[in-house]
Amino acid sequence: MKISEIATYLNRPFTGSDIEIKGFSSLSNLVEGTVVFAKKYTKEYVEILKNTQNVLAIVCAGYENITTPHIVSPNPRLDFMRVVGTFFAEKDIPAGINSTAYIEEGAIIGQNVSIGAHCHIGSKVKIGDNTIILPNCSIYGKVTIGSDCYIKPGVVIGGPGFGFENDENGVPVHFPHTGEVVIGNHVYIGANATIDRATIDATIVEDNVKIDNLVHVAHNCKIHANTLVTAGAIFSGGVEVGKQSWIAPNCSIHQQTRIGEHCTVGMGSVVLKNVKDGRTVFGNPAMKVEQS
């Protein structure tokens, strides 16, 4: 496709020759006839780009004087991702249910859903259109999953949570978890993550939440829209995370704790008390980080 077509798609002007673009590459391994991006200005990148006229560079401000065909963008990485995802990325996971997957009677499966090998989908599960579930996932109990979700291998959704009460003899008795899990649209769930059903009400993961590998979301948690949860994070029961927050790797969050909107929790932090909107916390126990 021509650069002019890509520029029209992005709704941005381009400078330079309207050459044919056939794929994508990186600046460190540049291939002619591809689209690349530079999200920051460096002299090294300028030197790389000035030696070729046969790429499309999506760049930040500062590159306006290069002769290489280019598009100036306020977010080059995002525009590059959009171009690659729309025009060049291979879609290698076809819709359909693998013959080894077990779908219980009563499950509701939307259109164009992909369910991989050796998955188990329970009778009370609802899965929205265009959702992809990769091999070896177990989804059971009352679980609703929205449209356009992406669930990696080994995920378990809907299992009973870890809730116990000691009886008169000190023997732990399991609380009967009869609640549900509600997952919104465009949610990403990484490999071997677990999301437990609620005790009575619902464990909720809202639209556009992205959950990395090896994350545990306990019963009655609520993760609001557009939040990113990175690898190894652990949410104890009843944790709530506000929208557009960032939870760094290997964080542990105490039960019934609320993290506000637009918050950042630093790597390896242990959060023991509520975090107000807009704050960055770090450490064990996690404390507010003053902004310089």
Side-chain angles (χ1 to χ4, degrees):
M1 66 188 315
K2 294 286 190 178
I3 289 179
S4 55
E5 297 175 82
I6 295 173
T8 298
Y9 167 73
L10 293 175
N11 195 27
R12 305 194 191 284
F14 77 95
T15 301
S17 302
D18 191 14
I19 63 171
E20 189 79 16
I21 299 298
K22 299 180 180 179
F24 59 95
S25 64
S26 66
L27 278 172
S28 57
N29 291 287
L30 190 147
V31 177
E32 291 194 355
T34 64
V35 57
V36 298
F37 78 97
K39 67 178 182 179
K40 62 181 179 180
Y41 180 86
T42 70
K43 292 182 180 179
E44 178 187 2
Y45 291 166
V46 171
E47 288 298 314
I48 292 172
L49 290 172
K50 78 178 186 179
N51 291 322
T52 180
Q53 297 298 310
N54 294 316
V55 300
L56 167 61
I58 302 177
V59 294
C60 62
Y63 291 87
E64 287 84 356
N65 294 325
I66 63 173
T67 59
T68 307
H70 64 275
I71 293 172
V72 177
S73 166
N75 192 334
R77 186 171 186 263
L78 179 60
D79 278 345
F80 175 84
M81 289 163 55
R82 286 170 170 160
V83 169
V84 171
T86 300
F87 300 113
F88 301 117
E90 295 182 7
K91 297 176 174 58
D92 56 357
I93 304 173
I97 299 173
N98 187 276
S99 61
T100 63
Y102 180 64
I103 314 297
E104 292 186 13
E105 185 177 352
I108 299 174
I109 311 296
Q111 297 182 347
N112 300 314
V113 169
S114 176
I115 299 177
H118 307 293
C119 288
H120 176 198
I121 308 299
S123 63
K124 298 178 181 179
V125 174
K126 299 177 182 178
I127 300 172
D129 297 344
N130 306 310
T131 284
I132 294 171
I133 301 172
L134 295 180
N136 300 309
C137 292
S138 295
I139 304 173
Y140 59 103
K142 291 181 282 188
V143 175
T144 300
I145 298 173
S147 299
D148 299 288
C149 294
Y150 189 92
I151 300 174
K152 292 174 70 176
V155 168
V156 179
I157 302 174
F162 190 82
F164 293 85
E165 190 72 27
N166 287 345
D167 68 10
E168 299 83 353
N169 299 312
V171 176
V173 178
H174 188 252
F175 193 109
H177 288 66
T178 61
E180 60 183 319
V181 177
V182 179
I183 294 174
N185 303 316
H186 304 282
V187 171
Y188 178 105
I189 302 174
N192 298 313
T194 55
I195 302 176
D196 289 345
R197 75 177 75 144
T199 50
I200 299 172
D201 300 314
T203 301
I204 298 173
V205 179
E206 292 187 344
D207 293 352
N208 300 305
V209 168
K210 313 302 180 185
I211 295 173
D212 201 355
N213 301 337
L214 299 170
V215 168
H216 175 62
V217 179
H219 59 272
N220 295 85
C221 287
K222 186 172 185 178
I223 306 176
H224 289 270
N226 304 323
T227 283
L228 278 74
V229 182
T230 59
I234 297 174
F235 294 176
S236 299
V239 166
E240 182 174 2
V241 182
K243 66 182 181 181
Q244 210 84 45
S245 288
W246 168 272
I247 310 298
N250 297 317
C251 293
S252 298
I253 303 174
H254 190 265
Q255 63 193 44
Q256 305 299 325
T257 299
R258 186 185 189 280
I259 295 172
E261 299 178 358
H262 303 277
C263 288
T264 298
V265 179
M267 184 179 293
S269 294
V270 178
V271 182
L272 300 177
K273 59 183 181 180
N274 293 345
V275 178
K276 294 182 179 179
D277 292 352
R279 285 195 173 175
T280 297
V281 297
F282 174 75
N284 181 7
M287 306 292 287
K288 179 182 177 183
V289 177
E290 298 295 339
Q291 303 296 316
S292 58

